[in-house]
Each structure stands twice: as structure tokens, then as C-alpha cells.
Amino acid sequence: MGRVTSTGKTDELDLSAGAVLRDGPAGPPRAAGRRQLAYLGICLVLIGLNLRTVFSSFAAVLPEVTADAGLPAWAVMVLTTVPVTLLGVFAPLAPGLARRFGAERVLLGAMAVLTAGLLLRPVELPAAGHLPALLAGTAACGAAISLCNVLLPGVVKRDFPHRLGLMGGLYTTAICASAALGAGFTFPVFRASGEWTAALWFWALPAGVVLLLFLPPALRARPGGAARPAGGVSVWRSAVAWQVTGFMVLQAMMSFSVFAWLAPILRERGVDGGTAGLIVSASIVLQMLGSLFAPALATRFRDQRALNTVVALMTGGGFALSIFGPVELLWLWTGLLGLGQGSLTAAALTLIMVRTRDGHTAAHLSGMMQGVGYGIGSSGTLLVGQLHQSTGSFAAAGVLFMLVGSLAAVFGYRAGRDRYIGD
């Protein structure tokens, strides 16, 4: 039997349609009731609130970590690139893990790994220094975040089919807020404690709290899902899916380069660490506004071409102006960048829900676009680091992302057309 979604299409709700995420015959909304569904929604938002502090917190104290730990240039590039690469490496595994163990339990395990990685990251090993723990902890965090990235849109599609704009906006806003918190509070914690290790350890606390809060819905869920449905839509053979994925690749290149390098860019332009953190935080606050309203706009209309094009050009232009524009107007340039980037990220993630008809296809599209998107998109942070190392400035990166923003506008226009995967 079917149900009409907010897009006006029939969303198949039998066991086969939700096989990747469904954890029981009745499904969480029917079994748990409104109160437990609301609690699940709050937990999903809180999980999103922990998915970017890994990136922005490290960037906020990168010069201090590099100097104190004696990190070589290759290690800095690895530590800013590997987490994003792992988002792509582990993303394709998420649907299979969810089908076997249940989406909620995989999310719970991912939050446990994330907390452990955050605790491990600043550890100093005798005779080995900080580098081994930084590498291992960062890798664990990247793997955990990858699973959460993929499963969150599918769970929203499954459990909140009539609130896609609201829930999509809330959890993408939480992700942007996570980056803002990491950028804004890490340096003050460092200044208060005098230790960059304390500033990084701090972020294990909220992750641990969410881990405990998410225990009840995760334990209530059945440990495994239904079998894989036969004859389902193959996202890997869909032109629409590849257009969405291309949009995601270019979005990820810009977004994670901003997380990793915006604070160092500002500090190279003469901004002190505290002010740089405030500017980055203000930029990410505007990301939150963009990510809150972009899903509502995207789901209100059947066609997202104009939205995708505008926010892609805003992001690329804002990134370039943050490098080339007058220093006196840095707040304006980074504000433009933040509003564009938040809207761009949310628009890309919302396409998972508006280009699919059911939770099964949404989960597989999410795995594909985030696997390929983050796997290739991680090259953005690496390219910025290599360009800076070879040229001694961020000017070449500014030119690069004017081009990337233009390409994102092209792919966003194509992906924004009113079509569904499988049509």
C-alpha cells in the first residue's frame, strides 16, 4: 500500500521499499508513537550537532598543534584530508550495515566510535609524540561521521515523510552549527587552558552525551532489517543519481576546504587567532540560516534549478573574495561564503529526499553520492594544501574555487530538474 508524500508522489511503504532502514514490520513511527518519534527527531538533530566539530576544531588551533607537536607538512595535509576521504570510503558500507543491524544501532555504534576518536586524538604517546594518536583518532572520527552522514537522510525520509523540509532543515542546520561551535569555542578553550590538547578533548563531551541520549531508541530498535528487495532501482545506473552525485562532489570540495582552511587563510591575511575564530563562527552562523531555509525552499517547489545555481555561485564567489577581497570587508566576504555554503550543503542533501520515492532508494542514493562525493571531494582540501605549499599563498586556491563554484552551478542546474530516480 502507498502514502502520498509532501512531493505529491506515492511513497511505497511496504517492507521492500524501506528494507535498508526499516527495523521492524511496523516501523518506528507506528510502534513508538508521537512522543518517541519526537524524541528520535531530537536525537537525530543532536547527532548532526556533532558531525563537524572534528574538522573546525582542528583548523581553529592548527598553527598551535603544528608548532607544539612538530607536525611535518605532509602530516598537516593528511590530517586535513584523510577525514573527508574516509567519509567517502565508508559511505557505501552504511546501507548494508543498516540492513543487517538496523539504522539506529549503526548510528549508535558510529557515535561510540566518534566519541572514542575524539578522546584518542590529543593523546601523546611516549617516544612517539602526538602524531600517531592524531592520525588514528582523526581516522576513527572520519569513519564514524561517514556512517552518520549516509544514514541520517534515509531515516528522515523513512520516519518524517510529511516533514522533509522541516527535518531536513533542522539536521543540516545542526551540522552547520556543529562547525560553528568547533570554530568558535576551540580557541577560547585553548586560551583558557593553555593547552591545545584540552581544546580538542573538550569535543568528546557533547559526543558522549548524545551517545547516552540515543541509547533508548537504538536499543528499542530490532537488531536487523528486512532482506534486500528484489528488482529495486539501481542508483548507479541512473543519470539523475550521477547528476546529484556530481553536485555533491563539487559541494564537498568547497565545504570541507572551508572547514579546513578558512581560519588559516584569515590568519595568513593578518587576522589574530581569536578574531579569526569569531569570523569563521559568524560565517557558519549564516551557514545555519542558509541550511535552515534551503530545504524548505527545495521541498516547496518541484524544481530546484534556480536555488542550486545561485547558492553554488555564492559559495565559489565568497571563497574567492575571502582570499582576494579587501581585508576591511572580510566579514562581508565570509558572510557571503557562509550563507552560500550552508544553503549549498543543505540543497545537496535535500536532493537525496526529493529525487527518490522511498527510504530504500534514498539510503542507496545517499551512500552513492556521499561515497563518491566525499571520496573525490576530499581532493579539495588536499589541493588547497598543495597549492599553498608550492606557491606560498592561497591565491591559486581562490582561482580554483571560482572554477569549482561555476561547475557546481552547472551540475546543480541539471540535478535540480523535476525528475525521480527510476523514471
Side-chain angles (χ1 to χ4, degrees), residues 78-233:
V78 167
L79 288 168
T80 54
T81 304
V82 165
V84 188
T85 304
L86 290 177
L87 297 186
V89 171
F90 284 87
L93 303 179
L97 290 172
R99 186 170 56 250
R100 181 173 181 180
F101 300 106
E104 288 83 353
R105 296 198 175 194
V106 176
L107 285 171
L108 180 69
M111 288 305 299
V113 173
L114 177 61
T115 305
L118 290 168
L119 288 171
L120 174 62
R121 195 166 53 151
V123 170
E124 182 177 12
L125 300 176
H130 286 283
L131 184 56
L134 277 170
L135 291 171
T138 302
C141 291
I145 293 169
S146 174
L147 299 178
C148 294
N149 280 342
V150 172
L151 293 179
L152 280 175
V155 174
V156 170
K157 176 76 174 181
R158 179 196 69 185
D159 291 345
F160 304 92
H162 297 291
R163 295 292 184 268
L164 293 182
L166 174 62
M167 282 301 301
L170 288 176
Y171 89 80
T172 54
T173 300
I175 291 175
C176 291
S178 173
L181 292 171
F185 285 94
T186 301
F187 198 84
V189 174
F190 162 72
R191 182 174 289 170
S193 64
E195 299 286 342
W196 62 266
T197 53
L200 294 185
W201 264 321
F202 175 80
W203 298 107
L205 177 62
V209 170
V210 174
L211 173 64
L212 295 176
L213 291 175
F214 194 59
L215 272 172
L219 295 180
R220 277 197 303 265
R222 295 180 60 180
R228 180 192 297 268
V233 175

Side-chain angles (χ1 to χ4, degrees), residues 329-341:
L329 298 178
L330 274 176
W331 288 88
L332 177 60
W333 310 140
T334 55
L336 177 68
L337 171 61
L339 187 60
Q341 183 184 343

Side-chain angles (χ1 to χ4, degrees), residues 22 53 76 137 170 235 254 359 363 413:
R22 191 67 43 84
T53 55
V76 174
L170 288 176
V235 295
M254 291 190 284
Y413 183 89

Side-chain angles (χ1 to χ4, degrees), residues 220-397:
R220 277 197 303 265
R222 295 180 60 180
R228 180 192 297 268
V233 175
S234 173
V235 295
W236 296 95
R237 299 179 181 179
S238 167
V240 177
W242 279 109
Q243 290 158 8
V244 173
T245 299
F247 188 49
M248 186 68 177
V249 167
L250 297 162
Q251 179 276 139
M253 288 184 70
M254 291 190 284
S255 293
F256 285 97
S257 295
V258 171
F259 290 141
W261 294 108
L262 182 56
I265 286 170
L266 296 176
R267 296 185 72 169
E268 186 174 278
R269 300 202 70 185
V271 180
D272 67 88
T275 304
L278 289 175
I279 293 176
V280 173
S281 294
S283 176
I284 301 177
V285 167
L286 290 175
Q287 285 186 38
M288 294 165 58
L289 290 177
S291 64
L292 181 62
F293 291 108
L297 289 174
T299 55
R300 181 178 296 272
F301 303 104
R302 301 176 67 88
D303 186 298
Q304 295 81 34
R305 287 179 291 183
L307 174 66
N308 293 349
T309 302
V310 169
V311 297
L313 294 175
M314 284 177 61
T315 306
F319 195 101
L321 287 168
S322 297
I323 296 173
F324 298 124
V327 176
E328 296 80 8
L329 298 178
L330 274 176
W331 288 88
L332 177 60
W333 310 140
T334 55
L336 177 68
L337 171 61
L339 187 60
Q341 183 184 343
S343 302
L344 179 63
T345 302
L349 293 175
T350 303
L351 288 176
I352 298 172
M353 296 177 280
V354 300
R355 289 291 164 268
T356 58
R357 297 186 185 277
D358 53 70
H360 167 73
T361 308
H364 280 278
L365 175 61
S366 183
M368 172 186 173
M369 68 179 285
Q370 297 194 61
V372 177
Y374 292 135
I376 301 177
S378 63
S379 64
T381 58
L382 179 62
L383 283 172
V384 172
Q386 290 180 327
L387 288 171
H388 182 263
Q389 186 176 0
S390 61
T391 64
S393 77
F394 287 105

